[in-house]
Amino acid sequence: MDPFPAEMHAICQHISALDLEVRKLPTMDEFPTKILHAICRHLDRDTIVNFRLTCRIFAEVGAEYIRPKLFMRMTKQHFDKLTGLSQIPHLAQGLRSLEYAPSTYKAPEGTLFEFERAHRDPCFSPCPPIGRYDEYVELVREQHAIQTAHADYSTFRNALSKFPRLKHVTLFLDHCHSDYPHVKQLEEVGYLNELIDRTGSNHMDTFLRVLPEVRLELQRSTEGKLDWQLQSFTAENLDWRFFERDDDATVRKLFVPLSHLQHLRLSIRHDWMDKGKGHIEYDQWRRLLQTGALRESIRPLKQLRSIDIGFEIEDWDWEVKRVASFLDIAPRAFTWPFLRTLKLRCINTDREELMEFLLRHQKTLRELHLEDIGLRRTSWPLLLADIREQLYLTDPCIYGYTEGFDESLGEDEQGYQVWYIGQYDKGKHMYDAIREYLSKGGTTSPGMDCPLTAENMDEAMYARKHPAGL
């Protein structure tokens, strides 16, 4: 008998079995929603729009990814946008990140001519366009009305409770001139230096005071099923006066709603436009920090995985510029049990007090970024050797102006040392070498010497401290 028909029969049976198995596979609209959410998290907005057109299930899942982030300014239009989004449940469910830039400006005095005469910088163009000036006046009036009526507080209180997945908040408290085209044009012709309204600390107050009410409302609306907490909070260019209160407990109370925070970034500034007040206010700022106003505010945030705190001061005198001490930030003998990342900018410390903190977090700490850090009377090469020997870091970064002293010379002033370590330009070779030296406890570069030596110190900065030269 010819075997071919039998073979064909067997093949046909196999194909039929495969076809049956394929039919048993779920169709796309039968996929578990967890898988669909995982897919959506990797799609851009345009692709999400097309994804939602596939079927009803895809439309429902994809709706949460249409608006994952919202940026807003302090205008009625943007507050209306936030309120409108909160009233569309399937879109509100998806908001995970909010960025708020409440740049505010003072009202100009008098007519355009008087404004021009009082505020024009002679180095710039002689007069702003009348249309832009009128738009600026209208913006100032609108912002004044918002603040007078506390519309920012009431809008956040009513809207944020509709965003149950909101986890990340960023406040841009500096003056984002480019956010407003008409403001940018006035700034470009030199008009706004004395018109910027320093109310950044007020906006921070407002937002933090809203959070407890938002949490209570979400608990009420979900019958206690949702314990809403922010995961990350960033305040860029926060005015240092935020921490200046009659009662220290007031600031600590504002931070209570952030008690479950995992990631904190605070960029604290001194306003460079306070002409003639700089050194006086630096002393006030230094005394304020020494009271523990900042340190005691972040101490209760025991869930922190990352701490990023820096000080922004427009001053080239580094002894003045570093107003903060490490102990103004980190409580003595205190441990954040989950701390993985520590980033510090523009502070003074000592090798012993910094290493004491790092060793308390030895088991969890993997990322350490130190920028423009001064060691009072201790040595950077010795600090780097201690870090290499006793810590296991996967992302070590040391950069900026690093000042210290040769400990072998004791209190002799000639022991002063300074290096400039650049990330992108001058000093980048040292930046890369230090990363290699410190990475993974030195296991990737056994036998490597410390990259900081007397030969590669920054001669220009050294000469400022010692005019006689090296």
Side-chain angles (χ1 to χ4, degrees), residues 198-233:
R198 289 174 33 182
T199 55
S201 57
N202 295 341
H203 299 306
M204 177 89 157
D205 265 39
T206 297
F207 198 89
L208 292 180
R209 291 181 192 280
V210 162
L211 296 182
E213 295 193 43
V214 172
R215 184 166 180 261
L216 287 174
E217 176 58 26
L218 277 166
Q219 287 180 327
R220 186 196 63 77
S221 62
T222 61
E223 297 180 348
K225 296 177 181 178
L226 179 64
D227 185 19
W228 179 80
Q229 303 284 355
L230 286 180
Q231 289 183 358
S232 73
F233 182 82

Side-chain angles (χ1 to χ4, degrees), residues 142 190 206 229 246 267 284 301 321 366 397 412 448:
E142 182 177 318
T206 297
Q229 303 284 355
D246 294 333
S267 172
Q284 294 175 353
L301 312 185
K321 183 164 182 158
R366 294 295 176 264
C397 294
D412 188 343
M448 182 179 180

Side-chain angles (χ1 to χ4, degrees), residues 184-203:
K184 181 179 180 182
Q185 190 162 355
L186 288 178
E187 185 228 355
E188 288 174 347
V189 296
Y191 285 85
L192 292 180
N193 282 0
E194 297 180 21
L195 292 179
I196 293 173
D197 187 12
R198 289 174 33 182
T199 55
S201 57
N202 295 341
H203 299 306

Side-chain angles (χ1 to χ4, degrees), residues 149-313:
H150 303 291
D152 48 352
Y153 181 91
S154 59
T155 300
F156 283 132
R157 183 191 60 197
N158 295 329
L160 294 187
S161 60
K162 305 300 192 299
F163 304 119
R165 289 188 172 88
L166 179 63
K167 297 297 181 184
H168 314 286
V169 169
T170 299
L171 304 183
F172 295 105
L173 300 168
D174 54 350
H175 308 291
C176 306
H177 302 154
S178 59
D179 288 342
Y180 305 96
H182 48 289
V183 173
K184 181 179 180 182
Q185 190 162 355
L186 288 178
E187 185 228 355
E188 288 174 347
V189 296
Y191 285 85
L192 292 180
N193 282 0
E194 297 180 21
L195 292 179
I196 293 173
D197 187 12
R198 289 174 33 182
T199 55
S201 57
N202 295 341
H203 299 306
M204 177 89 157
D205 265 39
T206 297
F207 198 89
L208 292 180
R209 291 181 192 280
V210 162
L211 296 182
E213 295 193 43
V214 172
R215 184 166 180 261
L216 287 174
E217 176 58 26
L218 277 166
Q219 287 180 327
R220 186 196 63 77
S221 62
T222 61
E223 297 180 348
K225 296 177 181 178
L226 179 64
D227 185 19
W228 179 80
Q229 303 284 355
L230 286 180
Q231 289 183 358
S232 73
F233 182 82
T234 296
E236 294 285 358
N237 285 290
L238 174 64
D239 193 303
W240 68 274
R241 294 169 188 79
F242 171 79
F243 296 96
E244 190 176 43
R245 313 283 173 142
D246 294 333
D247 180 5
D248 292 342
T250 302
V251 179
R252 295 198 296 271
K253 185 177 180 181
L254 287 173
F255 276 82
V256 169
L258 304 178
S259 59
H260 286 73
L261 207 65
Q262 296 181 17
H263 309 282
L264 174 68
R265 173 179 165 83
L266 297 177
S267 172
I268 306 169
R269 68 173 172 82
H270 174 271
D271 200 319
W272 60 271
M273 288 175 293
D274 282 348
K275 301 174 182 178
K277 299 181 181 179
H279 289 256
I280 297 174
E281 292 200 342
Y282 296 159
D283 291 339
Q284 294 175 353
W285 189 355
R286 188 176 288 109
R287 288 194 297 270
L288 175 64
L289 289 169
Q290 289 171 353
T291 67
L294 171 59
R295 178 182 64 242
E296 298 306 317
S297 295
I298 66 175
R299 182 200 288 262
L301 312 185
K302 297 180 181 180
Q303 303 297 316
L304 285 175
R305 272 68 169 170
S306 68
I307 298 175
D308 183 343
I309 295 179
F311 299 86
E312 318 296 337
I313 303 175

